[in-house]
Amino acid sequence: MENQWLLSPHRQLTEAEKMLVWKKPPSHIESEAERRICAEVKRNWQRGEMRITNILLEGDAGSGKTQLAKALSADFGLPYTKITCFADMDKSDVLGSILPVLSEDGHDAKEVRYQFYPSEIVRAYENGWLLEIQEPTVIRDAAVLMALNSALEPDGSINLPTRIVHRHPDFIVVITTNRGYNGWRPLNEALRDRVQHSEKMDLPPKAVMMERAAAKTGYGDEAVLSLLADTIITLDATAKANAIKGVAGMRSYLFWADAVANGAALRASMYHKVIYKITTEPEEITILEQALTAKGLMKQLEQAETHRCESQNSAVMELHLTDDGEYFAGEERPGDQNAVRLRKSADSEGHSDQASDSAIETQSSDNGDDGAPMYHEMAPEHPTEQQKQAFRKQLNQQARESVKGSLHQQVKLIVHRPEATGENRAEYLQQASVLMPVIQELVQKTMPLLEHETTSEFARGQLYGTTFCADRVAAQDFRYFARKRPPAENPTLAVALRIDESASMTAFGRLEAARQAAIALYEFCTGCGIPVLIYGDTADRSRIEQMSLYSYVDFASKDPDEKYSLMGIQGRSNNRDGMALRIIADRLLQAAQQTKLFISISDGQPKAMPDYTGDLAVADMKQTLQEYRRKGILFLAAAIGQDKEVISDIYGKENTLDITDLKLLPARLVQIIARYL
């Protein structure tokens, strides 16, 4: 478009003005809006009152409004300048100010004189430049922009304190504004009426996005650029649909593509380049993640990253496990689920049969009497029935100690350790597979927080540290290996989840939501190394069992299959909340972690026979919460029933989560736990 749209080809610009004319970089891609505006302005330029000189560009941040305004400067051959409006802007910012000028030789007040300094608006107006007015909708005083109304007339003028300035025939104003953001106000009607051409700026078509990204970043992988564009488009649409104030625009897309082009991981860099620019609110981030997962984009990002890594490193060997347990190397067979991919790391040059100069010859002590190596079973050990019975007895004894001296002392109590069935296992795996994409993403974002809690230096000769030291990889008994986290340092958080198993929980999908929340919480906590308790409770199952607790998951348990018992959570009878809180809170206090978080999922206020209800029950719960808060436990209540106001009064409004959509409960609880890290 060189010289095609020049408005005044015979005009002679000064050297300073030539410097202000924007120069299009090689990466600039002309848009349909740019060509449309240029054609309209050029067509009407010599038509007197039909001349187009006032242009409005309205759209989301990052949609290219300022880039387009600068491009028009280059197309029209006009010097470019701009002003950025702010809330407390007044008429002096629009027109200019009279300011004192001191003499160069002294500072005597008698020598002070005053001079009028025109604003950037006046300079552009008088000299015939292209002026961009950014975000005039944030100005609080509507009268400020009224000062420009007469100036925007084709033959308008501005009254200054010292003179009257007439509009230069080449002066063009481009107003750029966002839509509906914080501080936004409708554009003054009189000013909007004086606009002769307006453009609604949205994300450009996908093909244009990819073309611009390739031109600006030099990255040529069309498949990846297409995937990133689809992600940006989905995030932008999701943010708008859910009233999330942030925006995913072209700027985010370009900088994300540039980061990926320089080796950044696709999925990890998305958070820093796109999502965290939209919002950092955990609930809103979950909404965005769920939208990406629903469209399969999360999985595609992972697959694209895996493919890119494999293409960059061809040293990959696959081992396949046959039905009889033997390994063999070779091509992957269709449907082979037992393939194990081994990849040489970037710093693993050379061969395994080459000895290191600093290596120390060692010989395993795990040999039998005949010198043959002894192989150790790596599968988790299951406790014996005797061990299970001893642990269950211990829990019951501790529970009875917890209620001594309280109004629950005479209540007959049993703590159960439910056994998981094969059906429980299958159901757990099925439900976990649906939740794992969100959980894994939260684990990936949380683990860096835990890394900062570990030792940053490696002490030679010790069994811990963060720096690999080859000659200290094993202790003298050759059995214990270096760990990244020192044994004395653990995540500073322990979590207890209490689930109300009263009969009313069977209504409206509450139990299903509670089970999914328990799965999500367990998988997240175990993935981050956070000790976790998950208990359920009910009351009045029988006269000899007035209070029943179900220890589904306990951080002191050695049973690797206990998580499957979570599928046995069900609605049973009444609920004696204060007693359950006391017992589980005492159990949580035994954790060594500094921060102890107790989350209670309940759909109603406490009620148990014969008289544990009303003011008595509420007072007991408040007293229990106060007692254990003094001991350092943080309480949160997830209210999922009709008695939300009562639960809020008991736990405190600031400690109550009003879960309107039960489908959001699992992710919401996991996000909350991540905050306490």
Side-chain angles (χ1 to χ4, degrees), residues 73-144:
S73 165
D75 295 331
F76 298 148
L78 298 177
Y80 168 83
T81 188
K82 70 176 180 179
I83 64 163
T84 302
C85 301
F86 52 92
D88 296 323
M89 200 169 182
D90 57 28
K91 288 186 179 181
S92 65
D93 297 305
V94 174
L95 303 178
S97 303
I98 298 177
L99 300 174
V101 180
L102 296 177
S103 65
E104 297 180 358
D105 299 331
H107 301 285
D108 193 336
K110 295 180 180 180
E111 300 177 6
V112 176
R113 61 188 180 88
Y114 292 87
Q115 180 177 334
F116 178 77
Y117 291 90
S119 68
E120 196 68 11
I121 295 177
V122 172
R123 293 180 62 215
Y125 187 83
E126 184 177 25
N127 296 314
W129 299 348
L130 187 144
L131 170 70
E132 180 187 2
I133 302 179
Q134 296 182 339
E135 309 303 337
T137 53
V138 303
I139 300 175
R140 288 199 186 99
D141 188 355
V144 172

Side-chain angles (χ1 to χ4, degrees), residues 139-186:
I139 300 175
R140 288 199 186 99
D141 188 355
V144 172
L145 281 179
M146 294 291 289
L148 283 177
N149 286 349
S150 61
L152 296 183
E153 297 290 348
D155 56 350
S157 61
I158 299 177
N159 292 323
L160 301 180
T162 56
R163 57 194 172 94
I164 297 177
V165 177
H166 296 280
R167 178 172 186 159
H168 192 285
D170 288 349
F171 173 69
I172 291 180
V173 61
V174 179
I175 301 172
T176 58
T177 179
N178 292 328
R179 290 193 297 259
Y181 291 174
N182 288 334
W184 178 88
R185 295 170 180 81

Side-chain angles (χ1 to χ4, degrees), residues 288-490:
L288 299 175
E289 290 171 335
Q290 290 173 343
L292 296 178
T293 301
K295 289 199 171 185
L297 292 172
M298 282 292 200
K299 185 175 182 180
Q300 292 180 43
L301 289 170
E302 291 178 353
Q303 292 174 341
E305 182 63 29
T306 302
H307 176 74
R308 187 170 66 155
C309 291
E310 291 179 352
S311 63
Q312 293 173 353
N313 186 0
S314 59
V316 175
M317 176 179 65
E318 291 190 359
L319 296 179
H320 301 267
L321 181 63
T322 61
D323 295 336
D324 57 1
E326 296 294 330
Y327 284 100
F328 69 93
E331 297 295 329
E332 184 176 359
R333 298 174 297 180
D336 189 353
Q337 301 297 321
N338 298 321
V340 180
R341 304 175 72 86
L342 304 178
R343 182 180 296 108
K344 181 175 70 176
S345 63
D347 56 351
S348 300
E349 299 297 334
H351 302 282
S352 61
D353 58 353
Q354 294 177 339
S356 171
D357 294 338
S358 61
I360 301 175
E361 283 194 20
T362 61
Q363 185 175 3
S364 174
S365 62
D366 289 345
N367 296 331
D369 295 336
D370 57 354
M374 297 171 59
Y375 295 95
H376 300 276
E377 177 62 49
M378 298 303 294
E381 295 184 1
H382 290 74
T384 64
E385 287 299 323
Q386 185 177 2
Q387 290 173 325
K388 290 181 180 179
Q389 184 178 359
F391 184 60
R392 185 167 58 249
K393 182 178 180 180
Q394 175 189 347
L395 294 179
N396 277 272
Q397 290 174 344
Q398 292 179 355
R400 293 187 179 93
E401 286 294 325
S402 297
V403 298
K404 281 185 177 180
S406 71
L407 60 84
H408 309 287
Q409 183 172 349
Q410 302 302 322
V411 175
K412 297 176 182 179
L413 161 72
I414 295 180
V415 180
H416 300 270
R417 284 283 293 170
E419 291 285 342
T421 65
E423 292 181 357
N424 293 153
R425 179 187 180 95
E427 185 181 0
Y428 183 97
L429 295 175
Q430 188 275 328
Q431 293 198 29
S433 65
V434 178
L435 297 170
M436 284 310 292
V438 174
I439 298 170
Q440 289 173 348
E441 186 61 41
L442 289 167
V443 170
Q444 291 174 6
K445 291 188 293 186
T446 303
M447 287 308 294
L449 299 176
L450 301 181
E451 293 289 342
H452 292 305
E453 297 179 355
T454 64
T455 299
S456 59
E457 298 178 353
F458 184 86
R460 296 178 64 83
Q462 304 299 318
L463 298 179
Y464 53 83
T466 58
T467 304
F468 180 78
C469 185
D471 61 347
R472 298 292 181 181
V473 73
Q476 294 301 313
D477 59 5
F478 308 114
R479 296 189 184 188
Y480 300 95
F481 297 89
R483 304 195 317 174
K484 189 165 188 177
R485 190 188 309 280
E489 292 194 11
N490 297 312

Side-chain angles (χ1 to χ4, degrees), residues 224-237:
V224 173
L225 289 176
S226 175
L227 177 57
L228 300 189
D230 287 336
T231 304
I232 290 288
I233 292 170
T234 299
L235 289 173
D236 183 58

Side-chain angles (χ1 to χ4, degrees), residues 466-623:
T466 58
T467 304
F468 180 78
C469 185
D471 61 347
R472 298 292 181 181
V473 73
Q476 294 301 313
D477 59 5
F478 308 114
R479 296 189 184 188
Y480 300 95
F481 297 89
R483 304 195 317 174
K484 189 165 188 177
R485 190 188 309 280
E489 292 194 11
N490 297 312
T492 58
L493 176 66
V495 178
L497 176 66
R498 175 254 174 174
I499 298 175
D500 171 13
E501 293 192 52
S502 59
S504 58
M505 285 285 287
T506 58
F508 308 111
R510 295 169 187 168
L511 269 180
E512 289 75 8
R515 291 193 197 102
Q516 292 179 355
I519 294 172
L521 184 141
Y522 175 83
E523 294 293 345
F524 175 79
C525 288
T526 54
C528 294
I530 300 171
V532 59
L533 298 170
I534 303 179
Y535 276 59
D537 64 89
T538 191
D540 304 325
R541 286 194 62 185
S542 68
R543 292 184 178 180
I544 62 173
E545 190 173 344
Q546 296 172 311
M547 182 62 179
S548 307
L549 262 77
Y550 300 87
S551 172
Y552 295 105
V553 172
D554 192 292
F555 48 61
S557 171
K558 298 180 181 180
D559 187 354
D561 291 340
E562 65 177 353
K563 64 180 181 180
Y564 303 126
S565 67
L566 292 172
M567 296 298 96
I569 295 173
Q570 57 185 284
R572 305 177 194 270
S573 187
N574 295 327
N575 51 309
R576 190 179 291 269
D577 298 55
M579 189 174 182
L581 293 178
R582 183 175 293 276
I583 295 171
I584 301 171
D586 261 343
R587 187 71 185 150
L588 181 60
L589 284 174
Q590 297 183 23
Q593 283 65 29
Q594 181 178 0
T595 303
K596 298 175 176 63
L597 177 63
F598 189 121
I599 302 175
S600 175
I601 299 179
S602 178
D603 72 329
Q605 54 186 307
K607 184 177 182 181
M609 296 177 65
D611 57 357
Y612 189 77
T613 185
D615 293 339
L616 172 67
V618 170
D620 174 60
M621 288 188 66
K622 288 184 176 181
Q623 180 183 352

